[in-house]
Amino acid sequence: MATANLPKPEAAPKSRLTSFERTLQSARSTMMFSEIARLAVDSFRASKVRFLLTMLGMIIGSASIILVYTLGMTGKQYALNLIASIGPTMVEMSYNGGNVIGPDNTSTPDFMTREDEAAVREQIPGIVASSPMLEDHDNVSMGGGITRNTMILGVSPQYRIVRNLAVVTGRFFDDQDAITHAKVAVMVEPFARALFGSSAAAVGHSISIHGIPFTIIGVFKMRIDTFGQSEVSDQTILIPYQVARYFTGTDTVKEIFFSMRNTSDVTPASEEILQIIKSRHRASSVYTAFTMQQVLGVMAKIANMLTIVLTLAAAITLIVSGVGIMNSMLANVQSRLREIGIRKAIGATSHEIRLQFLTEAVFLSLGGGIIGTAFGLAVPLSVRFFTPFQIPISIWSAVIALGTSVLIGVLFGTLPANRAARLDPVQTLKYE
């Protein structure tokens, strides 16, 4: 008897297949990663609200890392710029000891001289300004029987450039004043306000230094707080070096300041200046070269350490969000027990089940990390675009945030993935 040829049932259109049916079809053969990724996306679509709330902690944590890192770098840049403005190109040479013993056992300090300054300027290129400094103290008469204990510094006109001074009122003495030994002085702003009420009122007044009248021609101030890194105090008067040397009775100087053209030349130039001055004096004499580069280096290390500590503190938020991801994935495994049992019954391996749920956890954490990173970068970029502030932006903060997100997904997604992989298909198929 002939057998009737029954028509084969038509396969359902691929567009009409449900997510669960696609899952069954994919489990009949070894799964590719693209299939696992597609299943993870289907899982997200099925529980959008739950997964979005789970991602919220990762979004906040990733954004916090970038923002905290950006704030740390901004604070570092501000602090270094502030310190650098004191004198980033300055080299300060000072005498620190090592006396010369004469034939009658008299001890004489081996101070530097103006010849040392000239020798340095002749041998080292890139020096744009230099100034010796003589220090003296006197009870300066202000008139009307008023005297003040004052520090008097004898410097050259280029001292204003080296020390980055700002003339508030009047003018600074110039080369002509130095050549003619003019009896002029400039006073620090706090001292002028204390004596005369204002900076403007001080200009033109006469003061007596060692019995010689000096005319105040200007009032100056340090452009920023020097944090104790300046010889200028709140009761300081500057006079031309050529005049001050008559008060001390010597041509020697205890300190010499040099200003380089470029900051990159400061460190090598300081070493060369030190060697030149040492070669011109006794071997037992001690001289030191101080630059702001040393302070900047220490401050940079401190700022970097604080930034790292604050960034690690912000990373704790990611750990907390990782716990949330683990809880969500455990609930996800529990709600899909029957699906897991069917997949295992028709051939899915434990490795594939484990990889599927681990991929979902990584996608969940990485998705939150990407959104959080985008938000964290958007804030400083907006500030740079809409304001004149140039906030530093580091691509490494984004790399750290995204890398930590993946790591959190792997660490906290392993437990739910292993639990799903170890499930018994017989027991899961009985689950209602």
Side-chain angles (χ1 to χ4, degrees):
M1 184 174 66
T3 304
N5 291 326
L6 299 176
K8 295 181 180 179
E10 294 183 1
K14 188 174 182 180
S15 60
R16 295 175 59 185
L17 291 177
T18 64
S19 173
F20 184 68
E21 289 171 338
R22 287 199 300 269
T23 301
L24 293 180
Q25 287 184 357
S26 64
R28 293 192 180 101
S29 61
T30 302
M31 298 178 65
M32 298 178 63
F33 182 76
S34 60
E35 295 176 318
I36 294 175
R38 188 166 57 249
L39 289 174
V41 173
D42 290 338
S43 177
F44 295 156
R45 289 176 178 173
S47 305
K48 297 184 183 68
V49 176
R50 183 180 69 181
F51 283 120
L52 286 175
L53 291 176
T54 305
M55 291 169 58
L56 186 60
M58 189 62 64
I59 293 173
I60 296 174
S62 300
S64 297
I65 286 181
I66 295 178
L67 292 177
V68 168
Y69 189 86
T70 301
L71 288 174
M73 294 301 294
T74 303
K76 172 187 173 181
Q77 185 183 69
Y78 174 77
L80 294 183
N81 289 342
L82 190 65
I83 295 175
S85 59
I86 298 175
T89 60
M90 183 189 69
V91 179
E92 179 182 349
M93 290 299 306
S94 60
Y95 168 71
N96 294 99
N99 296 342
V100 179
I101 306 300
D104 54 352
N105 291 326
T106 58
S107 178
T108 305
D110 193 10
F111 288 122
M112 294 177 288
T113 64
R114 293 300 303 273
E115 287 73 19
D116 293 332
E117 179 187 358
V120 170
R121 298 205 63 163
E122 180 180 351
Q123 298 181 43
I124 298 181
I127 297 178
V128 296
S130 64
S131 172
M133 190 192 77
L134 280 176
E135 181 178 335
D136 193 13
H137 294 268
D138 186 32
N139 290 321
V140 175
S141 175
M142 306 298 173
I146 301 175
T147 60
R148 288 292 183 92
N149 188 359
T150 307
M151 181 169 67
I152 304 163
L153 300 180
V155 297
S156 74
Q158 293 185 352
Y159 181 80
R160 177 179 61 85
I161 301 173
V162 175
R163 266 305 185 185
N164 196 22
L165 303 180
V167 178
V168 179
T169 307
R171 66 178 181 88
F172 205 84
F173 48 82
D174 54 23
D175 292 334
Q176 185 65 26
D177 295 323
I179 293 174
T180 60
H181 296 187
K183 307 303 186 291
V184 293
V186 290
M187 181 177 292
V188 69
E189 185 180 29
F191 201 19
R193 288 200 307 264
L195 294 177
F196 304 104
S198 68
S199 300
V203 177
H205 275 77
S206 178
I207 59 176
S208 177
I209 302 176
H210 293 294
I212 300 176
F214 280 74
T215 302
I216 301 175
I217 61 173
V219 176
F220 73 94
K221 69 174 182 179
M222 307 298 292
R223 292 188 184 273
I224 62 170
D225 190 352
T226 60
F227 307 101
Q229 298 297 324
S230 173
E231 62 283 349
V232 176
S233 67
D234 286 344
Q235 293 186 344
T236 300
I237 293 177
L238 305 182
I239 62 175
Y241 168 81
Q242 287 77 358
V243 179
R245 59 190 289 270
Y246 288 109
F247 295 147
T248 60
T250 178
D251 290 334
T252 60
V253 294
K254 188 176 182 181
E255 294 184 7
I256 303 177
F257 299 90
F258 299 93
S259 181
M260 307 303 299
R261 179 175 291 107
N262 302 312
T263 55
S264 58
D265 298 334
V266 172
T267 299
S270 65
E271 297 173 356
E272 294 180 22
I273 293 172
L274 183 60
Q275 292 303 319
I276 292 173
I277 291 181
K278 280 185 175 181
S279 67
R280 296 174 55 85
H281 293 266
R282 299 177 65 93
S284 59
S285 300
V286 180
Y287 306 91
T288 58
F290 174 80
T291 68
M292 291 306 298
Q293 301 297 319
Q294 301 164 355
V295 178
L296 291 173
V298 174
M299 287 299 299
K301 291 180 181 179
I302 295 174
N304 288 336
M305 184 57 63
L306 289 176
T307 301
I308 292 173
V309 171
L310 292 175
T311 304
L312 291 177
I316 295 177
T317 308
L318 291 180
I319 297 176
V320 175
S321 65
V323 175
I325 290 176
M326 182 174 63
N327 290 335
S328 178
M329 291 304 300
L330 287 173
N332 191 27
V333 170
Q334 186 67 26
S335 65
R336 297 165 62 184
L337 288 178
R338 190 170 182 81
E339 175 191 338
I340 296 171
I342 294 174
R343 288 180 53 78
K344 281 196 167 187
I346 61 178
T349 64
S350 297
H351 172 72
E352 292 170 345
I353 298 296
R354 181 183 297 108
L355 184 59
Q356 176 187 347
F357 283 91
L358 187 59
T359 301
E360 291 184 13
V362 172
F363 279 12
L364 190 62
S365 62
L366 182 58
I370 292 175
I371 297 174
T373 300
F375 178 78
L377 291 176
V379 174
L381 285 173
S382 299
V383 174
R384 288 172 66 101
F385 184 78
F386 294 107
T387 68
F389 300 104
Q390 295 298 310
I391 295 180
I393 299 175
S394 174
I395 192 63
W396 284 110
S397 61
V399 173
I400 292 172
L402 293 176
T404 306
S405 299
V406 175
L407 182 62
I408 291 294
V410 173
L411 292 178
F412 289 92
T414 300
L415 177 61
N418 288 337
R419 176 169 295 185
R422 289 196 301 265
L423 289 175
D424 184 1
V426 176
Q427 297 296 325
T428 54
L429 289 174
K430 294 179 180 179
Y431 180 78
E432 296 293 339

